[in-house]
Structure formats: structure tokens, C-alpha cells
């Protein structure tokens, strides 16, 4: 990999301040990661202290959500540090959130508002992540634009 793919701290400083779009995308990814941690902790604690129908499923689900939270949290940290690698996991997180939002929207329950919020956050984050200003700030070059 070339240094253009992963800018050095000096190159990042020369590039100027971090664009607001990049900061907003990182904030949305971090928000999703924190929501997964809270949901996972809630399931885990409920499974260990409450009376769930299936304690094993509750504990497994809680641990799974907490582990899944690592992807958007690491992506958010990488976006804030202007690491080119971080855009991929952030985009994957948003793409994975869209079917979850769709299922929540199709539920006849209180999950509908959560589905609306998740869909808005995921689409907004995707738009921010593919924005040319974000791509440029991360030092990502498009196909055919690599320096020789």
C-alpha cells in the first residue's frame, strides 16, 4: 500500500481540519456502536438476573451484540483519525443496519419508531461516507487515480 492510501499524521495535519461530514459520519457510527453495547448489556443482564424464557439465548444474544458493537466503534475511531481502512467497516455497518430497520418498520409494535430512527441514521451515514469530501479527507483515491 502506498502512503496515499493511509496518510501519515503529518499528511493529515497538512490536509487541514477534519471535514464536518467525516466527523458526523464518525459520530453516527459511534452512536450505533453505543446502542449495540447498551442493547447487548440489557439483554445480558436480563438473561443473568431475570427470568427469560431461554437464559442461554438471552446471554448469547447479549454477548453477540456487544461483540458486534466493536465494528462501528472501531470504524468511528478510525474515521476520526482519518484512517482510510475505517470507511469500509463503517459502510458495512450501515448496510447491515438497513435490513434491521426494515424489519423493525414491519413490526406491529413499539419497534416502528426505532426502525425509523435506525433507517434515517443508516442512510445519513451512508451519504456522509460516500461523499467526495469524506473520501478525499481519508486519502482514498478512486480507480485509475493511483499515483505511480
Amino acid at each position: 500500500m502506498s502512503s496515499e492510501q493511509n496518510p501519515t499524521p503529518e499528511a493529515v495535519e497538512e490536509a487541514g481540519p477534519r471535514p464536518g461530514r467525516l466527523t458526523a459520519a464518525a459520530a453516527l457510527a459511534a452512536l450505533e456502536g453505543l446502542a449495540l453495547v447498551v442493547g447487548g448489556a440489557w439483554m445480558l443482564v436480563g438473561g443473568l438476573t431475570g427470568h427469560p424464557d431461554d437464559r442461554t439465548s438471552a446471554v448469547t444474544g447479549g454477548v453477540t451484540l456487544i461483540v458486534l458493537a466493536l465494528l462501528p466503534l472501531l470504524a468511528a475511531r478510525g474515521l476520526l483519525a482519518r484512517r482510510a481502512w475505517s470507511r469500509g467497516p463503517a459502510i458495512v455497518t450501515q448496510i447491515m443496519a438497513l435490513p434491521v430497520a426494515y424489519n423493525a418498520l414491519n413490526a406491529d409494535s413499539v419497534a416502528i419508531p426505532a426502525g425509523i430512527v435506525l433507517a434515517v441514521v443508516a442512510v445519513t451515514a451512508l451519504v456522509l461516507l460516500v461523499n467526495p469530501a469524506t473520501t478525499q479527507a481519508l486519502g482514498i483515491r478512486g480507480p485509475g487515480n493511483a499515483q505511480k
Side-chain angles (χ1 to χ4, degrees):
M1 289 197 159
S2 67
S3 62
E4 285 80 19
Q5 287 283 343
N6 294 312
T8 62
E10 295 81 24
V12 169
E13 288 177 10
E14 291 174 9
R18 182 176 40 250
R21 290 179 179 101
L22 183 58
T23 304
L28 291 175
L31 178 68
E32 288 172 329
L34 291 175
L36 284 169
V37 168
V38 169
W42 180 75
M43 283 181 71
L44 188 60
V45 169
L48 293 174
T49 62
H51 300 289
D53 294 334
D54 185 2
R55 186 174 310 273
T56 303
S57 293
V59 171
T60 302
V63 170
T64 301
L65 285 179
I66 292 170
V67 170
L68 283 175
L70 293 175
L71 183 65
L73 290 173
L74 288 173
R77 184 169 184 210
L79 289 170
L80 287 175
R82 289 186 173 182
R83 301 290 185 245
W85 62 263
S86 62
R87 191 174 81 147
I91 288 174
V92 168
T93 299
Q94 306 319 314
I95 291 171
M96 289 182 349
L98 291 173
V100 175
Y102 179 78
N103 285 333
L105 289 170
N106 286 330
D108 275 337
S109 69
V110 296
I112 293 173
I116 293 169
V117 170
L118 182 57
V120 168
V121 168
V123 170
T124 302
L126 277 171
V127 168
L128 292 170
L129 288 165
V130 298
N131 187 283
T134 302
T135 303
Q136 184 179 10
L138 292 172
I140 298 171
R141 299 201 187 294
N145 293 329
Q147 289 182 334
K148 297 179 182 178

